[in-house]
Amino acid sequence: PGTTKEQFEAFRKLYHVTATDVLSWLGQAPALLIVDELNNLRQIAQKNSAGAAEIATFIKQNFLAPSGRYFIFSSHILSTLECFGVYMEYSTTSDRNVLLQELPLVDDLSSAKTLNNDLKGAAEAIYYGLM
């Protein structure tokens, strides 16, 4: 019950997970961190949030530096530069390469159905990012 924002706030009040908790749970195990819309980190950083720097440092130290750790992200920042510093405010001096993978976009429903034959219409194709 409640809005997504209200549900998230209720979750935050009930559970408090620290960086130490995450690292303790991971141990030395290989891990993959997936972050949707990493561009929001830059927007948060522009509001002088200490949390933005903390998150960027956590990602760099725990998912970019160690072997066996992997980091995948999406972003709404369009860039021809394949450099990680473009995506994180606190990594502007980084020259770490980023493998850019464009998502397939199609112009019409029949083309979208070649990617997913079970689509019920254009609205569903748009919802799944196919158009």
Side-chain angles (χ1 to χ4, degrees):
T3 66
T4 302
K5 185 174 182 177
E6 291 168 342
Q7 291 173 2
F8 181 71
E9 288 302 320
F11 175 84
R12 281 188 46 201
K13 287 178 184 174
L14 190 59
Y15 301 101
H16 179 74
V17 179
T18 66
T20 303
D21 294 334
V22 171
L23 295 175
S24 175
W25 179 74
L26 284 174
Q28 298 300 314
L32 169 65
L33 176 64
I34 302 172
V35 176
D36 187 23
E37 298 188 31
L38 185 67
N39 54 291
N40 288 326
L41 184 59
R42 175 170 278 189
Q43 293 168 355
I44 293 168
Q46 290 172 347
K47 295 178 181 176
N48 297 320
S49 168
E54 186 179 335
I55 291 168
T57 299
F58 178 83
I59 291 170
K60 288 190 290 186
Q61 290 178 348
N62 298 290
F63 287 91
L64 297 178
S67 64
R69 297 285 172 89
Y70 306 93
F71 180 55
I72 295 175
F73 65 93
S74 70
S75 175
H76 289 123
I77 295 175
L78 299 176
S79 173
T80 56
L81 299 174
E82 296 178 0
C83 180
F84 191 67
V86 171
Y87 297 92
M88 293 178 73
E89 179 72 20
Y90 295 96
S91 297
T92 54
T93 60
S94 172
D95 62 355
R96 180 182 296 269
N97 288 338
V98 174
L99 298 175
L100 299 175
Q101 179 63 51
E102 292 184 30
L103 298 176
L105 296 176
V106 295
D107 295 324
D108 57 54
L109 184 58
S110 61
S111 298
K113 285 192 171 197
T114 64
L115 298 171
N116 182 344
N117 200 30
D118 296 328
L119 290 174
K120 295 176 180 58
E124 189 174 20
I126 292 168
Y127 175 78
Y128 287 115
L130 298 173
M131 297 176 69

